[in-house]
Amino acid sequence: MEPNNIKDWIKRKKDQRERMNPETLFDGILKGDLSSLSSGITLIESQDKDQRYAADGLIQKCLPYSGKSIRVGITGVPGVGKSTFIEAFGMLLIRGGFKVAVLAIDPSSSVSGGSILGDKTRMNELSAQDSVFIRPSPARYTLGGVARKTRESILLCEAAGYDFILVETVGVGQSETVVKSMVDFFLLLMLSGAGDELQGIKKGIMEMADALVITKADGDNKLRAKLAAREYKNALHLFPSNKNNWIPKVFTCSALEKKNITNVLDVIEDFRSHVMSSGFFETNRKSQDNKWLSETLKELIINDFFLDGQMIIHLKEIEQKVINGEKTSFQAADELYKIYTNARRV
Ligand SMILES: Nc1nc2c(ncn2[C@@H]2O[C@H](COP(=O)(O)OP(=O)(O)O)[C@@H](O)[C@H]2O)c(=O)[nH]1
Ligand SMILES: [Mg+2]
């Protein structure tokens, strides 16, 4: 490297470190500075151990300023109209004077490297707004890792003053359950016409929903959407009542024609006052915090084990014994666990 290049390189590194300094980021985030918020989330998403410490410091600082938003989960199968809906709903919120953050949980992004929010084309108007922050799903992680990072991102967005945090997830696998455990209000988007089976919507997911919206209620589809809404309304009566004593609302909307979008906001406001006065809002957030404590602890312990080179050597050896039929898998796990705990005894 040429001397000048080295100087440039050192300067670049220094600038980078300064930009990633938790103090600097925190100040920026509190002022609502978008690039600080972005860098803060990048820090959270880092795999680097030092950066992880810095990220923890940043989250710690943001914590007292977090919690004031309403967190909304939005799910539904690919093609149901999530992105189009978020564009219309987000714009409605913006016109109401709210600041809106859109985050995503996309387990497939760890495989494809892509993301459901990659299609910002459907959020043209929304993504151009100053009071909107859009962040795609962190890639390269397990669902548990993505979930933790998204949850931490919510805290940062709240410290930055966002009033509504919309967490989008695609309706496959376990991601809905994960999103449900970090939001206050859970919205399920559904298509009319296609059967539940076809939509891959499990009954359990319908049971989690605080509102169910039949999308694309426009043109020829209007009547069908209405009929579907009626059917779902009847079906929901057969479900056991929710812990929050809230009867899930069912209605239709057209994000394309921007029809009935206000209903969603009205329902969220009704829901909020319902759970605030019953105390469920607070208890739910507390129990979510508890759940996340144990989830994070599990993740730390698992990482401690699986990132330990010595343990991996033991694991490989014992695995072979299981394959050879010399040990049962339970004996093997028990033996590994003993080696692991002994090695950590001081
Ligand atoms: N007719 C109609 N089409 C819609 C509506 N919302 C979304 N779409 C269309 O449905 C397709 C999938 O929408 P998109 O928002 O990308 O769905 P996502 O995969 O759930 O995010 C696109 O071609 C949209 O234009 C709607 O309200 N009415
Ligand atoms: Mg989409």
Side-chain angles (χ1 to χ4, degrees):
M1 222 184 285
E2 296 292 315
N4 258 349
N5 283 349
I6 294 179
K7 265 194 202 150
D8 282 354
W9 182 77
I10 292 174
K11 188 178 177 314
R12 262 209 314 279
K13 279 281 159 197
K14 220 177 133 202
D15 286 353
Q16 200 180 0
R17 222 179 17 238
E18 185 50 32
R19 269 205 309 278
M20 285 306 199
N21 175 334
E23 295 282 342
T24 320
L25 289 179
F26 173 66
D27 289 344
I29 287 173
L30 225 53
K31 281 187 212 131
D33 172 48
L34 275 182
S35 92
S36 303
L37 179 59
S38 251
S39 302
I41 294 179
T42 305
L43 193 64
I44 283 175
E45 290 173 356
S46 168
Q47 302 263 39
D48 180 275
K49 234 182 173 155
D50 286 342
Q51 301 228 351
R52 187 60 236 170
Y53 284 125
D56 285 337
L58 177 62
I59 295 162
Q60 199 65 39
K61 281 177 175 300
C62 288
L63 219 52
Y65 300 89
S66 69
K68 291 185 198 99
S69 79
I70 179 119
R71 307 165 182 169
V72 179
I74 297 171
T75 192
V77 293
V80 72
K82 292 181 293 298
S83 303
T84 315
F85 173 81
I86 290 172
E87 161 93 359
F89 184 56
M91 283 310 297
L92 178 77
L93 295 174
I94 297 293
R95 281 194 285 272
F98 296 112
K99 278 182 79 175
V100 182
V102 186
L103 308 172
I105 290 193
D106 179 7
S108 68
S109 73
S110 59
V111 182
S112 65
S115 161
I116 38 174
L117 278 179
D119 59 350
K120 273 201 195 166
T121 43
R122 301 216 200 287
M123 299 190 200
N124 265 336
E125 202 184 350
L126 190 65
S127 51
Q129 304 297 314
D130 286 339
S131 38
V132 169
F133 177 75
I134 299 183
R135 180 86 178 190
S137 183
R140 307 186 306 275
Y141 292 102
T142 57
L143 178 57
V146 171
R148 182 160 62 78
K149 279 154 208 310
T150 306
R151 205 180 124 83
E152 291 171 348
S153 303
I154 292 179
L155 302 176
L156 260 55
C157 290
E158 290 178 342
Y162 287 86
D163 307 294
F164 274 82
I165 319 274
L166 311 181
V167 186
E168 176 187 3
T169 194
V170 69
V172 291
Q174 289 299 306
S175 59
E176 301 97 334
T177 319
V178 161
V179 171
K180 169 80 179 174
S181 70
M182 62 177 81
V183 298
D184 307 310
F185 186 89
F186 195 65
L187 182 66
L188 173 62
L189 302 187
M190 293 184 83
L191 295 163
S192 62
D196 302 348
E197 296 302 318
L198 251 176
Q199 297 195 44
I201 299 288
K202 286 156 257 135
K203 190 166 157 269
I205 290 159
M206 281 180 62
E207 282 177 14
M208 292 193 300
D210 298 307
L212 209 152
V213 175
I214 315 294
T215 56
K216 308 191 190 183
D218 44 48
D220 294 345
N221 214 19
K222 223 167 167 174
L223 186 62
R224 248 187 310 161
K226 270 208 169 129
L227 289 174
R230 193 179 303 158
E231 267 177 40
Y232 283 122
K233 220 176 247 173
N234 290 336
L236 283 174
H237 276 300
L238 304 174
F239 285 5
S241 71
N242 286 336
K243 270 189 291 185
N244 54 13
N245 276 325
W246 166 261
I247 298 161
K249 302 289 175 288
V250 185
F251 46 93
T252 64
C253 89
S254 166
L256 217 56
E257 292 183 354
K258 314 222 180 324
K259 293 253 168 68
N260 275 0
I261 306 291
T262 43
N263 281 3
V264 181
L265 185 56
D266 292 346
V267 165
I268 293 177
E269 271 167 5
D270 281 356
F271 176 85
R272 192 176 153 104
S273 51
H274 172 82
V275 290
M276 284 282 186
S277 60
S278 72
F280 181 82
F281 187 86
E282 271 309 307
T283 48
N284 186 45
R285 280 207 174 171
K286 287 212 173 94
S287 77
Q288 287 179 338
D289 282 344
N290 270 340
K291 181 180 156 39
W292 283 100
L293 166 66
S294 57
E295 289 297 318
T296 308
L297 183 61
K298 275 186 231 162
E299 204 190 326
L300 287 176
I301 295 171
I302 288 171
N303 282 347
D304 190 49
F305 184 102
F306 285 97
L307 296 176
D308 179 335
Q310 212 52 42
M311 285 315 304
I312 298 302
I313 295 171
H314 289 303
L315 176 65
K316 294 275 172 240
E317 272 169 22
I318 293 177
E319 253 171 17
Q320 201 51 50
K321 291 189 180 154
V322 175
I323 294 168
N324 296 344
E326 292 163 37
K327 276 185 196 300
T328 67
S329 48
F330 179 77
Q331 283 171 329
D334 192 46
E335 192 176 325
L336 276 169
Y337 179 69
K338 285 193 174 115
I339 299 173
Y340 173 72
T341 46
N342 277 334
R344 268 144 191 82
R345 244 173 227 135
V346 274

